[in-house]
Amino acid sequence: MTEPGQPLERRTFEARSLFAAHPPVLHDGNKKVVLEIACPPGSSHGGQVVTSRWAAMPLPGRFTPGQAVERVVRHAGFYDYRPVLVAAGAVEWHVNFADPNLFFAYGSSLFAQDEIQVAEHPILGSLREALQAEGATARTVERGRPTPVLVAGAERRCHVATDPDPAEGRPRGLYGNEFGRAPAEAIRRATRRIDPPTVTNLVAMAAPAGGHGPYSGEQVTHVLTTAFTGFRAAVLESGAGPVAIHTGFWGCGAFGGNRVLTAMLQVIAAGAAGVDRLVFHAPGESGAAALDAALRLTRGNLAGSPSSVAELVGRIAAMGFAWGESDGN
């Protein structure tokens, strides 16, 4: 039995030996181009990579959603990995929009949020290969229950521009399935090596997929539990300093989640988990509108006295949020 506040499992790897023993296994030529730029011959991998997997945590007995809104900051763009906290001992984490099978498609031609993060942090590919070689459980969901995986100390060694730019050979951008269709020269132009690399901490958690019609109370509870567990684990792993978590419309692309509901539940989960700052990356007018709606509903419809889990979930389910459709990426 795992003790409260302790992960199901934890592993620590020296990055240099991890990459040497378990280089990323790439099946796509364009992914190989990115790796060649990120890790040219003679590259040195530094530091340690610490990974931990966490069982679903019980939700707290009471929530104060209105207070959670005050911890949210909107970022108008995608992840740029710039820190937002300046206090001594501050720790920042970025959500990985994970598949239930950790980093499952990193070597394929797919280039959605999960695969972009692994391409820019190639040690994550090595981590997956090492976990599989050891027979470890590389899953963010097990038996239908969330088991978020935290990865601390991953070097970010390149940036891949995915925005549309006809002059650079990517008229439709490089996101999702467009990456695999692009010529290698366009990938080369889009990829910029980061030297020296920066270091990123990740919370890999999988949103539910394949829903139809209105969200049920059980589905709301699942999303809330997943986010709370991942965020609370990040707080526990961070020590005594303030904690920031960067996220976005997690599970709202290929998984077809509802943007407003997903944002609302992450805000509530972050407040309950003790996160000091939730940086919500919501690019574009539609992103801003969805986040604004989530904050307005959380501040208005869910404000007031602290709510029990049953009351909170019931009130959210009664709002009638409906599933969307997969974007095919």
Side-chain angles (χ1 to χ4, degrees), residues 163-203:
D163 60 310
D165 190 334
E168 292 296 312
R170 51 179 197 273
R172 296 169 60 90
L174 296 178
Y175 188 81
N177 294 313
E178 294 299 329
F179 180 87
R181 302 184 183 117
E185 183 56 33
I187 304 300
R188 203 167 277 113
R189 290 179 181 177
T191 306
R192 174 180 58 84
R193 186 184 178 202
I194 298 175
D195 188 21
T198 57
V199 176
T200 303
N201 304 313
L202 296 176
V203 180

Side-chain angles (χ1 to χ4, degrees), residues 4-290:
Q6 295 296 318
L8 291 167
E9 51 194 83
R10 184 194 304 278
R11 284 172 170 77
T12 300
F13 300 89
E14 295 295 331
R16 184 192 301 270
S17 58
L18 174 62
F19 192 85
H22 301 281
V25 178
L26 305 177
H27 307 289
D28 177 69
N30 284 345
K31 291 281 180 69
K32 294 177 182 179
V33 170
V34 174
L35 182 62
E36 289 167 3
I37 295 172
C39 303
S43 296
S44 176
H45 297 264
Q48 292 184 327
V49 176
V50 181
T51 181
S52 55
R53 192 168 74 99
W54 299 75
M57 298 183 190
L59 292 170
R62 311 293 286 179
F63 290 87
T64 53
Q67 294 180 15
V69 172
E70 305 307 318
R71 307 182 188 192
V72 180
V73 173
R74 180 192 172 227
H75 187 292
F78 297 105
Y79 286 179
D80 57 19
Y81 298 95
R82 295 175 184 170
V84 298
L85 299 178
V86 297
V91 182
E92 308 211 10
W93 299 80
H94 286 72
V95 173
N96 169 264
F97 299 1
D99 185 87
N101 196 345
L102 183 68
F103 308 141
F104 170 72
Y106 85 89
S108 73
S109 62
L110 186 60
F111 211 55
Q113 197 264 9
D114 183 4
E115 295 78 34
I116 292 171
Q117 280 193 324
V118 182
E120 295 187 344
H121 302 77
I123 198 67
L124 298 176
S126 295
L127 175 61
R128 174 177 169 82
E129 298 303 327
L131 293 175
Q132 288 196 306
E134 293 181 3
T137 306
R139 293 194 62 82
T140 60
V141 178
E142 190 172 24
R143 299 187 186 93
R145 297 286 288 165
T147 56
V149 174
L150 271 59
V151 181
E155 289 185 332
R156 183 175 183 237
R157 305 187 69 92
C158 71
H159 166 65
V160 183
T162 59
D163 60 310
D165 190 334
E168 292 296 312
R170 51 179 197 273
R172 296 169 60 90
L174 296 178
Y175 188 81
N177 294 313
E178 294 299 329
F179 180 87
R181 302 184 183 117
E185 183 56 33
I187 304 300
R188 203 167 277 113
R189 290 179 181 177
T191 306
R192 174 180 58 84
R193 186 184 178 202
I194 298 175
D195 188 21
T198 57
V199 176
T200 303
N201 304 313
L202 296 176
V203 180
M205 57 189 200
H212 300 281
Y215 278 74
S216 66
E218 182 179 356
Q219 290 170 332
V220 170
T221 301
H222 181 92
V223 175
L224 186 60
T225 299
T226 302
F228 174 75
T229 301
F231 295 169
R232 184 61 188 161
V235 170
L236 293 173
E237 290 288 276
S238 297
V243 176
I245 291 181
H246 297 250
T247 191
F249 294 111
W250 160 66
C252 298
F255 287 4
N258 184 288
R259 281 186 154 202
V260 176
L261 176 62
T262 298
M264 178 187 300
L265 293 176
Q266 288 187 92
V267 170
I268 295 169
V275 174
D276 297 279
R277 185 77 69 235
L278 184 70
V279 184
F280 205 100
H281 293 254
E285 293 183 3
S286 63

